[in-house]
Amino acid sequence: MNITADRLGSAIATLPWRVPLADWPRELLVGLPRGISRHVVRFVELAGVVVAVKETEDPIAEREHDLLQVLSQLDAPAVAPLGYITGRCTPDGERLPGALLTPHLRYSLPYRALFSQDLAAAVARRLVDALAVLLVRLHLAGFFWGDVSLSNALFRRDADAFAAYLVDAETGELHAQLSDGQREHDLELARTNIAGDFLDLQAGGLVDASVDPLAVSNRLLERYRELWQELTGPEEFSMDDRWRVDDRVRRLNDIGFDLGELTVTTDLDGVTTRIEPKVVEPGHHTRRLRRLTGIGAQDNQARRMLNDLDSYRMATGRTDEDEHDSAMAWMSDVYRPVLDAVPVEYADRLEPAQLFHEFLDHRWYLSENAGHDVSTPEAVRSYVDTVLPAHPREEAYLREPSTGALQTLRTADPDSPGTP
């Protein structure tokens, strides 16, 4: 018997692998809600970690483990792989299926458990909306699911919505990029399977009769296509419409996605800008901004600055220039001039990263109202005159407890890591 596990190896080795999973002693098992599965699935606790064990054939267990591992590296919303077991057999030599091990996704539930708590039709809409986002993210990562259904996902409550995670990758395939035909095939499978899921729920009395299974499955397709168009639909802008680039980026941010890159192309009508959005992992912006500029900022602040940096590269024809060189030019031409333009009496109103973030918002609103790009100097004057004076002083929050030193806009070293 071969045991491959990334961690908890010694604890995993003590489990009764020579016994079919359905016959494991009850004292080993953890009582958690299980979704409908074609396989036997059980939960066990090992060294404080709850692990899901799924019986499946040896090559399938190994392949699914490898798929989940790649999806984890791509930061796709899926359960993480822990290990897989092959070569199992009983003491009498009878062959047993292999097994896939994944840590239990904390605070997640299968869809049937959610409906046992709440029969409202709104739950159905929120679940398929979450599944649509999951499917879009998987497709952007080049993952063809092959068996899209509510049964093959787990759901976490997320404020008034849900977040969905892939839990069964057995039928999946990874590609560099999916074709339209592959995506449409996944959608057709989703239409059929989700309608079946809701018919099953209605048969069990878990969903109101007012919920139309076909309408719910069609909603998934509609939400998916809306998201896919917003994320990948070609949109081009002239060089004079930089504020429209910001508007597109804001729409992407509103649905939880971020700008991947800007591609500048030249045609007979002049220079145009094409946007290609992509998903990035949490904390990406903070790390990228610090690497490029040395500025320390929260992730949302960093995202806004990086969006402006990318727009600056487009507007100044620096898209083919080394990224670090462009960042230094942006620091010199945009970031530092904005901070240096703030009068001394306002220097302690906001920390630098937040001030610059607000300035960018202010410049965007001015440009939107004007219908054209408002220059940075003009936007700075407006921000200093009309917005900054209304902010209370925040120096008490910026003071270092041990030294009493103030981190001000003018004394900070912008090239020092972690210092705006």
Side-chain angles (χ1 to χ4, degrees):
M1 179 169 64
N2 299 317
I3 297 178
T4 301
D6 298 325
R7 53 192 173 92
L8 304 178
S10 58
I12 290 171
T14 64
L15 293 173
W17 295 115
R18 294 187 179 278
V19 177
L21 187 56
D23 298 332
W24 279 17
R26 293 179 61 88
E27 59 267 21
L28 280 179
L29 307 181
V30 177
L32 288 175
R34 296 197 303 268
I36 297 175
S37 174
R38 67 176 70 90
H39 303 287
V40 178
V41 178
R42 296 291 184 268
F43 294 99
V44 297
E45 184 174 352
L46 302 172
V49 177
V50 177
V51 176
V53 183
K54 179 177 78 172
E55 274 191 339
T56 185
E57 295 304 313
D58 286 3
I60 295 176
E62 182 175 356
R63 180 179 178 275
E64 186 170 5
H65 172 275
D66 293 344
L67 278 174
L68 290 174
Q69 194 167 55
V70 176
L71 287 174
S72 179
Q73 293 167 354
L74 294 173
D75 196 41
V79 295
L82 179 60
Y84 61 92
I85 313 296
T86 59
R88 295 175 64 206
C89 62
T90 68
D92 296 332
E94 181 182 351
R95 182 182 174 278
L96 293 174
L100 174 71
L101 293 84
T102 57
H104 173 61
L105 187 65
R106 296 187 66 193
Y107 304 112
S108 67
L109 289 169
Y111 77 101
R112 292 178 66 88
L114 291 167
F115 279 102
S116 69
Q117 298 174 21
D118 190 341
L119 305 182
V123 174
R125 294 193 296 271
R126 295 201 296 268
L127 280 181
V128 296
D129 287 353
L131 196 63
V133 173
L134 171 61
L135 190 55
V136 165
R137 292 190 64 183
L138 292 173
H139 283 178
L140 286 172
F143 183 77
F144 170 77
W145 197 338
D147 193 13
V148 186
S149 71
L150 293 172
S151 300
N152 291 333
L154 288 172
F155 298 88
R156 276 176 168 167
R157 293 192 183 274
D158 183 9
D160 293 329
F162 293 102
Y165 296 81
L166 172 77
V167 72
D168 191 329
E170 183 174 309
T171 57
E173 300 173 3
L174 270 170
H175 302 269
Q177 183 176 346
L178 294 186
S179 67
D180 289 343
Q182 287 171 314
R183 293 191 303 103
E184 287 299 320
H185 184 45
D186 249 357
L187 288 174
E188 280 305 311
L189 291 170
R191 185 204 300 268
T192 302
N193 289 344
I194 290 169
D197 287 336
F198 278 94
L199 286 170
D200 180 63
L201 288 169
Q202 285 184 331
L206 297 176
V207 174
D208 290 339
S210 61
V211 175
D212 182 350
L214 292 178
V216 171
S217 62
N218 286 333
R219 178 183 175 87
L220 172 83
L221 271 61
E222 293 168 3
R223 287 289 293 138
Y224 173 94
R225 292 196 167 107
E226 289 172 1
L227 285 169
W228 189 262
Q229 176 62 28
E230 186 64 57
L231 287 165
T232 66
E235 190 168 2
E236 297 183 346
F237 308 93
S238 72
M239 294 293 288
D240 296 328
D241 288 336
R242 184 178 171 187
W243 68 275
R244 291 183 60 199
V245 178
D246 290 341
D247 185 60
R248 177 66 185 274
V249 171
R250 283 170 172 272
R251 298 203 310 269
L252 294 174
N253 294 163
D254 286 344
I255 57 176
F257 293 86
D258 295 296
L259 183 67
E261 61 184 57
L262 294 174
T263 302
V264 177
T265 59
T266 304
D267 53 30
L268 295 176
D269 297 324
V271 178
T272 60
T273 304
R274 183 184 181 91
I275 291 183
E276 178 188 341
K278 69 177 181 181
V279 182
V280 295
E281 70 279 6
H284 166 87
H285 310 96
T286 294
R287 293 190 295 271
R288 181 183 172 217
L289 184 68
R290 188 186 299 273
R291 174 175 56 82
L292 291 175
T293 67
I295 296 173
Q298 299 298 318
D299 205 51
N300 286 334
Q301 297 166 343
R303 177 179 63 191
R304 192 68 181 93
M305 293 185 193
L306 289 168
N307 288 342
D308 190 67
L309 169 58
D310 288 336
S311 294
Y312 169 83
R313 295 180 70 197
M314 173 204 71
T316 57
R318 297 176 179 271
T319 53
D320 295 328
E321 186 177 87
D322 178 79
E323 192 175 38
H324 287 86
D325 293 341
S326 297
M328 290 302 101
W330 173 82
M331 291 275 288
S332 176
D333 294 346
V334 182
Y335 181 74
R336 286 175 180 147
V338 168
L339 299 188
D340 289 344
V342 176
V344 174
E345 61 268 27
Y346 295 146
D348 55 3
R349 294 296 171 95
L350 292 168
E351 58 182 326
Q354 182 64 24
L355 186 148
F356 191 78
H357 165 78
E358 291 194 2
F359 160 75
L360 292 177
D361 278 348
H362 187 67
R363 188 181 66 184
W364 180 83
Y365 286 122
L366 292 177
S367 298
E368 184 187 39
N369 291 334
H372 60 80
D373 280 347
V374 171
S375 69
T376 293
E378 180 182 352
V380 169
R381 287 193 297 271
S382 174
Y383 178 74
V384 170
D385 292 343
T386 64
V387 178
L388 196 53
H391 277 291
R393 297 183 182 276
E394 294 188 353
E395 69 176 50
Y397 301 102
L398 297 175
R399 191 179 299 277
E400 297 289 343
S402 59
T403 65
L406 290 180
Q407 303 173 29
T408 67
L409 297 178
R410 295 185 179 275
T411 60
D413 177 5
D415 293 322
S416 175
T419 303

